[in-house]
Amino acid sequence: MSKNKVYTETQRAEVAAPAAVAFELIEDLRHWPQFFPDGVHAEPDADGANVRWWALDGDGVRQWTTTRTIDKAGLRVVTEQRDCAAPLVSVRTEWTFAPQGEQACEAELTITVTAAPGTEGADAAAAQLEGAQEIVSRVKGLAERWDELEQLVISFEDPLFIAGQPAQVYEFLYAADKWPERVPHVTALSMTEDQPGVQFFDMDTVTPEGRAHTTRSVRVCLPHKIIYKQIGLPKLLDAHTGHWHFVETPEGVTVHARHTATIKPSALNLLGEDTTVADARRYLRRVLSTNSLQTLRHAQAYAEEPARAK
């Protein structure tokens, strides 16, 4: 019997940023969907040792699970995937960040792929390895812009308590294809769900000022949370992610509407001449919060109506 083949690719980059900054980009799972185009969601288990991943893959979403080891002292992150589809057997990634003084480091990524022998295995391994240089370059670019990005990224969460059945609240938010009938600021929405719990939709909305936007989003629907990422963005943004998080109480459910948006500096003039990043942050805080809370209040009315009818 032929032995499995092992393929390895290592990429390095000199980064003009502190090693701790570059390390955080990989260690903090929240950064993956926000700053990496294919990242949709990463869901760690209770102790963080196992992580379930969702990533854009062509017209769909690919899912897998890894074990994850974090060495904060050594600035090292290792993941190992063993639930691979044939002809792959395992995929291991190892990130290390070696300080080069206080304001520079060397980032290194090693990907090790084990695959079945033969052409199919070699091709599958090559597909896993081919993006190594691109992702290292992206980490370098993000780390070197980190001070700027901290100002361009706005993140906030609005909670709303709903005195209704949690399942009804979840159903309202899950059935986004019904929002044009239920939510006034949504004028049109076309949705597909080819994988259970993974939705793609194109949505037309209107801001409180009457600005019309068309966006495309992907959503991952988990029992306790609905995660979304806009993959067709309004002109003002470079990224927009978030979630609806459901926390049940004896009296109902509190839903937390979270937004994390990255402002596109070159588009600031869309809000008027001399618009600053601070102006755009205030605008987004108001508009995004208004729209999500409006949706939640309609979910509240939908879920609380049966109780009022009794």
Side-chain angles (χ1 to χ4, degrees), residues 80 163 242 244 302:
E80 296 195 44
W244 308 96
Y302 176 83

Side-chain angles (χ1 to χ4, degrees), residues 40-249:
V40 175
H41 182 56
E43 182 82 4
D45 62 8
D47 61 8
N50 296 287
V51 181
R52 189 178 175 194
W53 305 80
W54 289 259
L56 294 170
D57 185 11
D59 294 330
V61 169
R62 182 168 64 93
Q63 302 179 39
W64 71 98
T65 301
T66 67
T67 58
R68 190 167 184 254
T69 304
I70 298 171
D71 176 5
K72 290 191 176 184
L75 300 177
R76 177 172 170 267
V77 179
V78 177
T79 69
E80 296 195 44
Q81 178 193 359
R82 299 196 180 277
D83 61 345
C84 303
L88 296 179
V89 176
S90 66
V91 179
R92 182 181 190 272
T93 70
E94 179 177 353
W95 283 95
T96 57
F97 300 91
Q100 307 289 327
E102 292 185 0
Q103 297 299 318
C105 66
E106 181 184 69
E108 179 181 288
L109 169 63
T110 297
I111 304 177
T112 303
V113 181
T114 303
T119 302
E120 288 187 7
D123 289 346
Q128 290 288 320
L129 300 174
E130 66 181 0
Q133 182 176 9
E134 181 180 349
I135 193 172
V136 171
S137 296
R138 176 165 284 274
V139 169
K140 169 182 167 66
L142 290 168
E144 292 177 346
R145 291 182 61 210
W146 194 245
D147 288 343
E148 176 192 10
L149 284 169
E150 284 190 311
Q151 298 303 311
L152 294 175
V153 176
I154 177 171
S155 188
F156 60 90
E157 190 166 281
D158 292 316
L160 182 70
F161 171 73
I162 300 174
Q165 292 295 324
Q168 288 187 300
V169 181
Y170 187 95
E171 187 275 332
F172 185 98
L173 296 173
Y174 180 90
D177 53 338
K178 297 179 182 177
W179 286 359
E181 309 160 18
R182 296 173 166 178
V183 181
H185 74 268
V186 178
T187 57
L189 193 148
S190 174
M191 186 175 80
T192 59
E193 187 173 345
D194 295 331
Q195 298 171 250
V198 177
Q199 301 172 339
F200 285 86
F201 59 70
D202 298 283
M203 180 170 66
D204 296 337
T205 59
V206 179
T207 69
E209 293 84 6
R211 288 191 177 95
H213 294 290
T214 298
T215 58
R216 180 166 176 78
S217 299
V218 56
R219 299 205 309 181
V220 174
C221 303
L222 303 177
H224 62 292
K225 188 163 38 179
I226 296 176
I227 300 101
Y228 68 85
K229 176 173 182 168
Q230 285 188 344
I231 53 178
L233 291 152
K235 294 178 181 179
L236 182 61
L237 300 181
D238 276 329
H240 183 196
T241 63
H243 67 225
W244 308 96
H245 185 205
F246 304 82
V247 180
E248 293 191 32
T249 73

